[in-house]
Amino acid sequence: MIMIQELSWAVGGQQGEGIESTGEILAATLSRLGYHIYGYRTFSSRIKGGQTNYRIRISTKRVLANQDYIDVLVAFDQETIRLLANRLHPGSLVIADSTDFRAELPAGSSVRLLEIPLTSMAESLGNAVMKNMVAMGATAAVVGFAPETFTDALRRRFGSKGETVVNQNLAAVQKGFEAVAAQLGSGDTFHLAKADGRHRYLMSGDEAAAFGALAAGCRIEAAYPITPASEVMHWLAEMLPKYGGVVVQTEDEIAALMTAVGAGYTGVRAMTSTSGPGLSLMMEALGYAGATETPVVIVNVQRAGPSTGMPTKTEQSDLNEMVYGSHGDLARIVLTPGTVEECFYDTARAFDLAEHYQVPVIVALDLANGLGVQTVEALDYSCLKYDRGERVTNEELAALEGSQFLRYKFTPSGISPRAIPGQPGGMFLATGNEHDQTGHIVERVDNRVQIMNKRMHKLDPLVNDSLAFVRHGLQDADVVLVAFGSTIGPVLEARERLEAAGTKAAVVQVRMAAPFAASQFSDLTAGARKVIVVENNAGGQLYGLIRREVPALAERLASVRKYDGTPFTAGEVVAKCQEVF
Amino acid sequence: MIMIQELSWAVGGQQGEGIESTGEILAATLSRLGYHIYGYRTFSSRIKGGQTNYRIRISTKRVLANQDYIDVLVAFDQETIRLLANRLHPGSLVIADSTDFRAELPAGSSVRLLEIPLTSMAESLGNAVMKNMVAMGATAAVVGFAPETFTDALRRRFGSKGETVVNQNLAAVQKGFEAVAAQLGSGDTFHLAKADGRHRYLMSGDEAAAFGALAAGCRIEAAYPITPASEVMHWLAEMLPKYGGVVVQTEDEIAALMTAVGAGYTGVRAMTSTSGPGLSLMMEALGYAGATETPVVIVNVQRAGPSTGMPTKTEQSDLNEMVYGSHGDLARIVLTPGTVEECFYDTARAFDLAEHYQVPVIVALDLANGLGVQTVEALDYSCLKYDRGERVTNEELAALEGSQFLRYKFTPSGISPRAIPGQPGGMFLATGNEHDQTGHIVERVDNRVQIMNKRMHKLDPLVNDSLAFVRHGLQDADVVLVAFGSTIGPVLEARERLEAAGTKAAVVQVRMAAPFAASQFSDLTAGARKVIVVENNAGGQLYGLIRREVPALAERLASVRKYDGTPFTAGEVVAKCQEVF
Amino acid sequence: MAVQTKVSFKTDAKPWWCPGCGDFAVLAALQRAATQLGLRPENVVLVAGIGCSGKIGDYFGSYNIHVLHGRTMPVAQGIKLANRNLTVIAASGDGDGYGIGLNHFIHAVRRNIDLTYIVMDNHIYGLTKGQYSPTSEKKFRTVTSPAGVYEQPIQPLVLALAAGATFVAQGFSSNVNQLTDLIMKAIRHKGFSLVNVLSPCVTFNKVNTYDFFRANLVDVADGGGHDPHDRTAAMRRITETGGLVTGLLYEEEGPSFQDYIPGYPETPLTEAKIDLPTSEWDKILKEHFG
Amino acid sequence: MAVQTKVSFKTDAKPWWCPGCGDFAVLAALQRAATQLGLRPENVVLVAGIGCSGKIGDYFGSYNIHVLHGRTMPVAQGIKLANRNLTVIAASGDGDGYGIGLNHFIHAVRRNIDLTYIVMDNHIYGLTKGQYSPTSEKKFRTVTSPAGVYEQPIQPLVLALAAGATFVAQGFSSNVNQLTDLIMKAIRHKGFSLVNVLSPCVTFNKVNTYDFFRANLVDVADGGGHDPHDRTAAMRRITETGGLVTGLLYEEEGPSFQDYIPGYPETPLTEAKIDLPTSEWDKILKEHFG
Ligand SMILES: Cc1ncc(C[n+]2csc(CCOP(=O)(O)OP(=O)(O)O)c2C)c(N)n1
Ligand SMILES: Cc1ncc(C[n+]2csc(CCOP(=O)(O)OP(=O)(O)O)c2C)c(N)n1
Ligand code: SF4
Ligand code: SF4
Ligand SMILES: [Mg+2]
Ligand SMILES: [Mg+2]
């Protein structure tokens, strides 16, 4: 038995069998013990049946992605073993449910196998679904936790179902623990080092984004269900009413964004949440928000495209559409949080940016950080600035003495103080047609050029935005890895490995993809021999964006892409980067 | 009186007063005399009232854009003079209707003014609307045509209304001619050199595109009305039924494209036509056509955006969305015809490309070439290849003996022979979800990568496409101007002027914007000191595309943009290019 | 505060409509209704669609939002939810409202948020120059139906009732008094109200002209009165007349969407305090994610 | 040609539906109907939407096209127009068909192109895991309506009739025989036919269960027969039963869209000769542009 600093655990079986809650309970429990957690579920667009697995990485240090390998795998069927076999290493342990199948390990592998009749043990306690809790007990034994460790989490999860259910589940954990403890050889346990015991919080990016929106003062969410963004809506449907807010489930995504635009125009912080297909449907409405300078926030949780694609698989392939979508020329902000924590901060910030600049802001999550869970440190609420942007006051309006308020007044910044309905004397026309300073439709060439310039340049200050990029690592790096969204997790870890292997590497994380702060980016990558863009898509969309924005970098720029629907691991990043070094 | 090779004529007044038909009759008549014509109407999103003007350039040489100046202006109101004053030159002649207003010319201008009571003369003949025909007669006198020149065109236009109407109109022309002839001073006439008398055809790009579609075998158009694309639909609504085809006016643009996709899937050449707002609504459907590899053609006639923008003003600002729109990674073809003739050829070709590569093809017009009219030489029908793409035969299907047909078979080219409904044994599933070779939904990582590669790379041969670019001018040019769409007209003319002024200039016309044939483009611009991208948009969309695709060019690349809703003239191109030389 | 005098809701803008267009009367009726109801311009938002009809906002002196083609309904709902004190009026054309925007309409009806929807129904696409619309009659010849329309026309009143509308009325541009009255009632109605207005397009529709409507329209009360609370009778009247009936066809009082929303405050959301103490967020953090 | 035997329209694929899902019965009924009508698999196209319901295409042995969420209708119409000899069947869920896709549905009804539309109505969004749908009843609690739904539910049969449908029927997953019969009739109907199927979602809808429907559904003919050619009676039956009625509610024979299209040939457009002699184009060039 050796002391390890982290453990990769997984459970797999058929959908609808409780795999998801098993993973959740384990993650919650260990998070409470002070471990850092990363959890990611693989599933398919199907309600019952079909293989699913939940991989959890438990560590004494911060973890933002899964490991390349799995140490302990709980398998409820042979398919799980087949699908995850390539993740097993010589020291891995497989706990297989021997009730229904005879586990077969890859030929010649030295993986250890523990066959336990998890289901029959659960049945003997009264309910086959508790096989998950038996497995949890088994896991506890392997990792060296007392079965009582899970008591709290189980109470929270099953408390509402009554004491009997709680006790049955506790018994199941106990039983699994005992069964395994009895069989364990000395080399079979993974002794996980004690955690720091600090209080952390476990959440997914979808939840973090929804929470960020609520905290930032969002009061209306209009949305249409879609994987993997529905969780944002569900969380807000539960929470917004507690703060007097409303969630409207609209008839489609066009209505969703237009409802939010209506609310934004009226002066309420409003948003929608969607994924690729919905985003595509919103392209006309996005342009409308831009043309009318109406603040609105769109959380887009990307999934594998094109078209319906693979709704339950991750990808980062909506970047092109987010940055270049909608007809005509249009300013918009695209934020690309990487960690779950950043999903909170960036979504909250999106509302400030939307109102400050009077533009649509897209917050781009991806399935991996949207549905993946991470432990989060106590949040830093200084990000909540409640910058409501420039508003004309009733006094200023009164001083107009009936003359027309200039909603789209030409100002040096390009930002014009706005009035909201209800303000006497502030009446104006908001229109997607070209208009003059009052808002009235005009097609004069001089006005057209002026107002286009106003709209196109009002975001210029953002090229100096200090949150546009985050740079990690040495100043004199030889290689700079570039990433956005969830890919930052494996990339940061890859950087450490590269450095450990002697490569001076740094990471530039893109947190704001539009407007793209090109000269900052140039500075941040200056001096590097190679700049490698690592992204989860086939088209090299961020790579292309950087070529366009910083063409001088092109010769030093390389592209690493993955588009099989799964997130990178650090090992994959290292391997692929080494190919292009 | 001197002999001139070309004349710039314009008529302006209020919408609904017959300005449009006046322009059309003049253009048609002079085209029949063998002149080259370019005609462009300025109008607004309003049915009656509001200034409109029709500018026509009449030349003994090919003309693809309006002149910088106007020689003869027929003005029905002062607003026309005010709006077009900056186009008048010292030798210009203004024929003003003195019935309703007293024309005022810009202070100090040496423009000649002929005040004629056009309206009262028409009234005296029985109908005020004939003021247009009086103006036509006046024009004839100024330009030195006999009034009878117009007889033919008038008969064609008014014949259906009966002999009386025809005769009244003829009389109006006669009257206008006489009234002016009497007043003309010797310096007041513009003697236009005789044309070559060759038979040419006068059409707009919208008509040419519709005609190209019909000739290429399109049998279903599903569309929703929108300026400036409705004319495509109108033309097809009239003509398709004569060939057994159908036009469906759908409830929106999503339905339009999906109806066309349904027809394309079934094996009929089908299309839709739209403009920016409709294109934005089609983004999800575009991705669907891409994912299912269904041939379909979208004619997108661009107008000034963003959002509703300026529906009757020209712009080339949908390039970003056409090339990068829709979520996920997606192959599509974007053709960008420049001249009206090319609108015919490229739309016809789009159907071949769509079926050959089994992809959606967007044919990008803009308002200037979509609604502008040009004389066209006899068409070259060798462009009609009727390449229906690879189809599996019934015999091949029978040979499968009941085993599943592989609709998405992995082939070296990435193109898989398709079956259409009705073919026995060819049944398959078309889906926007990720699928395997049979079409069935699968999410396996290996399959995913393979089928993405298939779809993403099947257009690779097009990087060698000989029609991707057209290069005009010297091989050893110092400056290369780059343009797409209608802008090619003024740019070609600017090239001539630059060359006349001693700059060695060439033009590279982009006829295919996606896939972008980067290495051809590099070759075509190699050696130039400066490569200037001239385009009708604020964002520099083509400029950005080239930076992304050919970053090595960035240092030599310059951007010239216009986004006031009007097309460039050659003079503007020259002036703006000289600024960035 | 100064005594507030009635306002006319007029603006300086000169309408872009063709002389004789039915939409002038709709504007006039709306202005009169708003004036007679004593509304304040700052508390009214007019949400207009794209079309000749959609220009109405330019000429109506309130807050105005001219949206995308077909999208008046979601925007209007977003506005009302954001500030329940506002009077929200949406205005569409028949293409805007019953063509591209029909889905939003039906769903707005069943959501029953308190707003008034005026559709200027000229049986044609005016602004795009005369294509047939969803309410165009069969056989109608236009640039997109050179051989005549062959779709069954949409019957807006029937559809609204079928979707559960709580207020359904129809007016005609030639009868501004009735129209004013209907619009006033519609605005007063708590919940979603539809006023379909037969508003002739004198330029492109030579079939459904003023004369046509004058000759064919009946009043709902003609021939014996009509109980506007009787949904079946309303449906029957519409069917009998082939939709050529004006007046208040149906009204049903009752709670509207707002009354049901859990936790929805009496004060408008625009006035909600959003910068809550961070302790609030810490509480959520612990309860939900701890 | 060999004698054609009847085919079963079954495929090898194992359905992804949850055990007990109502959609199994819809698949079975559709397969039986197609078999009994003696259709050939190559001449049938099944157009399916996105949702659990939309998976039906994978299991039905014809040409299949699984479209975008809400877009079965335009695709189905495009297919039928392209090849009038095909039997075109569209299949949606209630969210797909009456939520995001409702506009296309209403317009398809009034266009009356010959196709059959089967909606698997489980009053819930199944595939996205249990949000309420447009047909969900009031007060229904889901993840997006934690305090219960407050919209008035869509009544698909009423809307279809209101839009002028020429064939309206409703089936129930527990009555496969009736459903088979209704689908056969619908396919035979010349024009647009709607078969709404109450098809329980056993996983997410614990309100509108098999038992609920068994307890509440009546047959249209119960209590004295029903004349399916009487639109008013159909409307009344639906209203009386709150929509909880099965059977053929309405059918109206007559020409369909295809019969009106000017110049639309008897032979499918797929067989049209398109590479005409260039003289044809020269003729147009001269006549239109000369
Ligand atoms: C997405 C989109 N498609 C098409 C158009 C073009 N368009 C503008 S108005 C209009 C229809 C107008 O008809 P209607 O709504 O009946 O209004 P009317 O002009 O008759 O009052 C259309 C199709 C558009 N603006 N946006
Ligand atoms: C444009 C778009 N928005 C949202 C989704 C997500 N989505 C998939 S299925 C579905 C609804 C399913 O409900 P229903 O149509 O009733 O089908 P069921 O699963 O109940 O059979 C939704 C919202 C999508 N695929 N595309
Ligand atoms: S075109 Fe018709 S609807 Fe439009 S303004 Fe003129 S009359 Fe009115
Ligand atoms: S979730 Fe519901 S609708 Fe979907 S397969 Fe399961 S039972 Fe059927
Ligand atoms: Mg209309
Ligand atoms: Mg459903």
Side-chain angles (χ1 to χ4, degrees), chain B residues 229-411:
Chain B
S230 301
E231 282 72 7
V232 176
M233 188 184 182
H234 298 172
W235 199 88
L236 289 170
E238 188 192 333
M239 299 300 290
L240 266 184
K242 300 188 183 162
Y243 296 86
V246 184
V247 170
V248 196
Q249 180 174 318
T250 52
E251 53 277 18
D252 65 15
E253 287 87 347
I254 300 174
L257 182 48
M258 289 306 273
T259 302
V261 164
Y265 161 83
T266 312
V268 166
R269 290 193 158 188
M271 69 177 281
T272 186
S273 48
T274 191
S275 184
L279 182 75
S280 284
L281 287 174
M282 289 176 183
M283 282 300 118
E284 195 198 11
L286 178 75
Y288 182 76
T292 54
E293 305 193 44
T294 305
V296 73
V297 172
I298 302 167
V299 171
N300 178 46
V301 191
Q302 300 166 87
R303 66 189 210 186
S307 194
T308 309
M310 304 195 294
T312 61
K313 305 294 170 219
T314 196
E315 202 163 274
Q316 308 183 294
S317 58
D318 299 350
L319 190 67
N320 277 344
E321 183 163 63
M322 293 187 288
V323 174
Y324 299 114
S326 201
H327 63 283
D329 284 304
L330 188 74
R332 90 279 319 255
I333 296 173
V334 179
L335 302 181
T336 51
T339 66
V340 163
E341 222 161 72
E342 288 166 3
C343 293
F344 177 91
Y345 296 134
D346 289 357
T347 308
R349 182 171 188 236
F351 288 88
D352 284 342
L353 292 172
E355 288 201 319
H356 182 90
Y357 291 104
Q358 302 177 16
V359 287
V361 180
I362 303 177
V363 186
L365 276 59
D366 48 49
L367 187 141
N369 64 12
L371 297 187
V373 295
Q374 295 173 11
T375 31
V376 162
E377 305 289 334
L379 292 170
D380 174 6
Y381 301 115
S382 70
C383 66
L384 303 173
K385 305 228 187 303
Y386 305 102
D387 172 0
R388 305 300 308 259
E390 291 184 51
R391 292 267 188 96
V392 62
T393 63
N394 286 355
E395 294 64 42
E396 286 163 340
L397 287 170
L400 291 176
E401 295 185 347
S403 66
Q404 172 72 51
F405 164 61
L406 298 184
R407 164 68 184 89
Y408 299 103
K409 189 169 180 169
F410 296 132
T411 61

Side-chain angles (χ1 to χ4, degrees), chain B residues 192-232:
Chain B
L192 194 54
K194 232 176 130 56
D196 65 4
R198 262 180 69 171
H199 200 144
R200 291 190 189 81
Y201 305 92
L202 187 69
M203 62 180 97
S204 69
D206 274 9
E207 289 168 330
F211 184 18
L214 174 68
C218 173
R219 285 298 175 271
I220 293 186
E221 143 110 336
Y224 189 76
I226 190 164
T227 306
S230 301
E231 282 72 7
V232 176

Side-chain angles (χ1 to χ4, degrees), chain D residues 100-142:
Chain D
I100 190 168
L102 182 70
N103 197 20
H104 306 307
F105 166 54
I106 306 263
H107 289 283
V109 164
R110 63 191 205 81
R111 220 170 265 129
N112 200 27
I113 294 181
D114 184 15
L115 51 97
T116 295
Y117 191 26
I118 300 173
V119 182
M120 287 165 255
D121 182 0
N122 53 15
H123 299 15
I124 194 100
Y125 282 10
L127 191 60
T128 45
K129 296 187 159 183
Q131 299 84 5
Y132 70 98
S133 94
T135 54
S136 294
E137 288 177 19
K138 278 200 171 174
K139 309 213 169 133
F140 186 47
R141 288 175 192 268
T142 69

Side-chain angles (χ1 to χ4, degrees), chain A residues 85-109:
Chain A
N86 64 342
R87 298 281 172 199
L88 298 174
H89 58 77
S92 300
L93 174 70
V94 173
I95 303 174
D97 182 0
S98 58
T99 312
D100 289 329
F101 79 106
R102 287 219 49 79
E104 281 174 43
L105 293 182
S109 93

Side-chain angles (χ1 to χ4, degrees), chain A residues 20 41 43-48 224-227 230 233-234 237-238 246-253 281 307-308, chain D residues 14-16 18-19 50 52 55 67-69 71 95 99-100 125-129 131-132 143-144 146 151 203-204:
Chain A
E20 187 170 3
R41 189 162 71 94
F43 61 112
S44 61
S45 275
R46 174 174 181 178
I47 305 304
K48 286 189 179 156
Y224 189 77
I226 189 165
T227 306
S230 301
M233 187 184 183
H234 297 173
E238 189 192 333
V246 185
V247 169
V248 196
Q249 180 175 317
T250 52
E251 54 276 19
D252 65 16
E253 286 88 349
L281 287 174
S307 194
T308 309
Chain D
K14 208 178 146 295
W16 278 24
C18 308
I50 303 287
C52 293
K55 300 266 157 86
V67 301
L68 293 170
H69 190 41
R71 316 301 170 193
I100 190 168
Y125 282 10
L127 191 60
T128 45
K129 296 187 159 183
Q131 299 84 5
Y132 70 98
V143 275
T144 51
E151 283 103 321
T203 302
F204 294 113

